[in-house]
Amino acid sequence: MTKSIQKDSKKNNHNSNKKKIKKKGKPIFNKELLKQGWEKKRQIGCTLSQDMNTCYYNAVLQCFNYTPQLAQYLMEHHKKSECTKYEKDGFCGLCAVKDITHRCVWKERNTSKNIVVHPSSIGHNLKIISSNFRRGRQEDAHEFFLAMLAAMQKGATHHLGKLTPKQEETSLIYQIYGGKQRSQLTCYSCHAKSNTFESFLDLSVDINKVDTLQEALNNFVKVDIIGADKENRYNCDACKNKVKAGKKTTIDRLPMVLPIHLKRFNFNPHRGSMRKLNTQIQYPEILDMAPYVSEGKEPESTKYRLFAVLVHLGSHCESGHYISFVNAPDGSWYEMDDDVKTRVSLKTVLNQKAYMLFYKSMEETPSNGLIREDSFEKRAEKEEEDYEAWMARVVEEDLAKRLTKTKKEKRRVTIVPPVSKPTFKLSKKLQRKLIRRSFNNGWQVEDISA
């Protein structure tokens, strides 16, 4: 009886959630639950066992393990016991990734003993993830990545029923990986412009005849001429004529995590088969996406930091081996080759013939660990308070919480600003040495008593 009552209560809760989303049009997922950086500086985690051509999904899973936004959310908020997708089908993409991340990264007993984790939750459910996959057969890592995103999307939205495309774009997976691109058609006769928008979870760029990632992205946003041939002119809705037009694709909304797929496998019409481009493409650790953003758009941050690289070794697409390079929470880089891990330098990472690149937004997580001052100004505006007064109050309140008194003396402290020396006057207690570091949301109290 109790089990049936619990099931009925779950159904009622899910039905009420559906009504709330459809009526109010609220986002499915609260983006504030995602954390841009690692809260704890963990060491590199466990490796994954190789079993009958599993290197393609081992490499992708390691990239998921070290995506801070996804990994930390799953470990802190996703519960398998409450997952209706797992309860119904016996498999959920979110549950599977969480299980592997928990065993590889979170379970410190495993990491300290260098235990090799067997990702059975993936291997036993390949046909559920995609009907095209076969156990024991080498598959494409990029196809598996997209299939796993689709599986996780189903796990995140299963209990909500049928959703509109706009509603799906507010789900967990789209909040992390989802961006939007704009295709703009410009009539060369009347100069009328028409825009179409399409969401994406990764960018696929052509690397033929380019040497750098920036060159490939420049080609991605360059104008393509439509109707150069008189027989295939563009039919303009504005001037009602068949004319030449230009089509330009740009990024209208940048994602939190940006996976970039380099098109190394292309169809060779002369041979009638696929071929691999073994071109060495240079890519940076810090990528600025500003040149590829739509005109008129001013995102808070356009800079991204590399955190994972997926590589295909071999000269043919039908064979070869996949490995990945990941940036551990403690900042060190490692090569993850199935059940072998090797510490490497950043220079080694940047010299790979990459197949996929994973970048994360540097918004509110600059390389020096400081919080940008404009983020504090925005927070002051939300609380309808003068910036300087708000900052002084925050410092005073935090200091009061952190000061500890001993029987012999009051501890001397250092007040640390996030970016630069503030313009407001500090009280005598706060007039200590100012240094540039941060804690939590920007300020730090450092004990300097000797």
Side-chain angles (χ1 to χ4, degrees):
M1 286 292 291
T2 55
K3 288 184 178 180
S4 62
I5 292 171
Q6 288 176 354
K7 287 183 179 179
D8 290 338
S9 63
K10 282 184 179 180
K11 288 180 181 179
N12 292 333
N13 289 333
H14 295 325
N15 290 333
S16 63
N17 287 336
K18 288 181 188 178
K19 290 178 182 178
K20 286 179 182 178
I21 290 169
K22 289 183 179 179
K23 283 183 178 180
K24 298 182 180 180
K26 289 185 177 180
I28 296 172
F29 177 78
N30 182 8
K31 195 174 181 179
E32 293 180 359
L33 295 176
L34 299 175
K35 298 173 182 176
Q36 292 278 50
W38 295 103
E39 282 200 327
K40 183 178 179 180
K41 289 187 177 181
R42 301 174 184 272
Q43 296 180 349
I44 193 67
C46 299
T47 56
L48 297 170
S49 63
Q50 162 71 293
D51 180 25
M52 298 171 61
N53 291 325
T54 61
C55 62
Y56 70 95
Y57 66 68
N58 282 349
V60 173
L61 290 173
Q62 291 289 15
C63 295
F64 283 140
N65 284 341
Y66 296 96
T67 303
Q69 297 86 345
L70 177 65
Q72 290 179 127
Y73 171 78
L74 291 177
M75 297 310 303
E76 294 175 9
H77 300 286
H78 184 75
K79 296 180 181 179
K80 190 174 181 179
S81 59
E82 299 177 1
C83 178
T84 57
K85 185 74 171 67
Y86 183 82
E87 182 182 347
K88 180 184 176 182
D89 300 332
F91 174 79
C92 166
L94 289 174
C95 294
V97 172
K98 177 183 177 176
D99 173 61
I100 294 165
T101 301
H102 172 70
R103 291 190 288 157
C104 284
V105 184
W106 248 253
K107 203 170 183 179
E108 294 182 356
R109 185 177 63 182
N110 286 1
T111 57
S112 62
K113 294 181 179 180
N114 290 325
I115 292 175
V116 178
V117 173
H118 182 58
S120 55
S121 56
I122 300 296
H124 294 158
N125 294 286
L126 281 175
K127 283 189 177 181
I128 298 177
I129 296 170
S130 174
S131 58
N132 297 324
F133 295 157
R134 295 291 181 273
R135 195 174 182 186
R137 187 176 71 185
Q138 178 76 293
E139 306 288 357
D140 180 74
H142 178 242
E143 290 182 12
F144 176 77
F145 170 74
L146 294 179
M148 276 306 300
L149 289 186
M152 288 192 283
Q153 172 72 357
K154 289 179 182 177
T157 61
H158 174 263
H159 62 288
L160 300 174
K162 191 174 181 179
L163 300 172
T164 64
K166 285 187 177 181
Q167 288 174 331
E168 285 191 350
E169 290 175 10
T170 64
S171 64
L172 167 66
I173 298 304
Y174 276 89
Q175 295 280 26
I176 298 175
Y177 296 95
K180 186 163 285 189
Q181 62 186 34
R182 183 187 75 182
S183 294
Q184 186 175 80
L185 276 168
T186 303
C187 174
Y188 286 168
S189 177
C190 68
H191 304 291
K193 295 180 180 180
S194 62
N195 296 322
T196 56
F197 299 90
E198 183 181 1
S199 59
F200 65 86
L201 293 173
D202 76 327
L203 287 181
S204 290
V205 296
D206 193 354
I207 60 171
N208 192 28
K209 297 180 180 180
V210 299
D211 297 318
T212 67
L213 175 61
Q214 288 87 339
E215 289 178 7
L217 289 170
N218 287 335
N219 289 340
F220 181 80
V221 299
K222 75 176 183 180
V223 178
D224 293 325
I225 304 299
I226 299 175
D229 185 0
K230 291 183 179 180
E231 296 179 357
N232 298 309
R233 291 292 173 103
Y234 168 66
N235 193 4
C236 179
D237 293 332
C239 62
K240 308 299 180 182
N241 293 322
K242 290 186 176 181
V243 296
K244 285 174 64 176
K247 181 182 179 182
K248 184 175 183 179
T249 301
T250 52
I251 309 301
D252 207 65
R253 187 182 72 237
L254 289 167
M256 187 178 290
V257 174
L258 176 64
I260 301 178
H261 166 230
L262 307 181
K263 295 181 180 178
R264 290 200 174 273
F265 303 126
N266 295 323
F267 182 75
N268 188 340
H270 299 291
R271 295 184 178 181
S273 61
M274 299 293 289
R275 66 169 183 173
K276 181 184 177 182
L277 295 175
N278 281 300
T279 312
Q280 180 77 42
I281 304 297
Q282 296 179 8
Y283 48 91
E285 180 193 10
I286 307 298
L287 176 65
D288 191 354
M289 291 293 291
Y292 321 110
V293 174
S294 303
E295 293 180 8
K297 295 291 181 177
E298 296 182 0
E300 290 187 6
S301 175
T302 59
K303 290 187 177 181
Y304 286 79
R305 180 181 295 277
L306 186 71
F307 73 91
V309 178
L310 191 145
V311 180
H312 176 265
L313 303 175
S315 56
H316 302 286
C317 57
E318 293 86 3
S319 60
H321 182 61
Y322 287 100
I323 62 173
S324 59
F325 294 81
V326 296
N327 190 218
D330 64 2
S332 56
W333 280 96
Y334 279 82
E335 175 187 334
M336 309 299 280
D337 184 357
D338 288 329
D339 56 356
V340 178
K341 60 183 176 183
T342 308
R343 185 164 184 172
V344 296
S345 64
L346 176 62
K347 184 178 179 181
T348 300
V349 175
L350 297 178
N351 284 333
Q352 299 301 313
K353 292 183 178 179
Y355 182 43
M356 290 188 71
L357 300 167
F358 294 84
Y359 286 90
K360 60 182 178 180
S361 174
M362 293 176 65
E363 181 183 347
E364 295 190 355
T365 54
S367 58
N368 58 6
L370 304 176
I371 306 298
R372 295 197 316 275
E373 194 164 316
D374 60 356
S375 65
F376 285 92
E377 290 176 345
K378 289 177 182 177
R379 286 168 58 186
E381 287 177 6
K382 287 182 180 179
E383 297 185 23
E384 297 181 352
E385 192 172 347
D386 178 70
Y387 173 64
E388 292 184 0
W390 178 86
M391 187 70 84
R393 180 175 59 80
V394 169
V395 175
E396 294 278 7
E397 288 177 359
D398 191 80
L399 181 62
K401 292 178 183 178
R402 291 173 178 261
L403 274 176
T404 57
K405 295 181 180 181
T406 62
K407 293 181 180 179
K408 295 182 179 179
E409 63 174 357
K410 292 183 178 180
R411 289 185 180 274
R412 292 181 295 162
V413 297
T414 299
I415 306 302
V416 184
V419 176
S420 58
K421 184 176 179 179
T423 56
F424 57 85
K425 293 181 180 180
L426 299 175
S427 63
K428 290 182 180 180
K429 288 183 179 180
L430 303 182
Q431 289 177 359
R432 298 296 302 163
K433 182 181 177 183
L434 291 170
I435 60 176
R436 298 180 64 179
R437 289 185 189 171
S438 65
F439 78 88
N440 296 340
N441 292 330
W443 291 82
Q444 179 176 343
V445 178
E446 185 179 276
D447 184 8
I448 61 169
S449 56

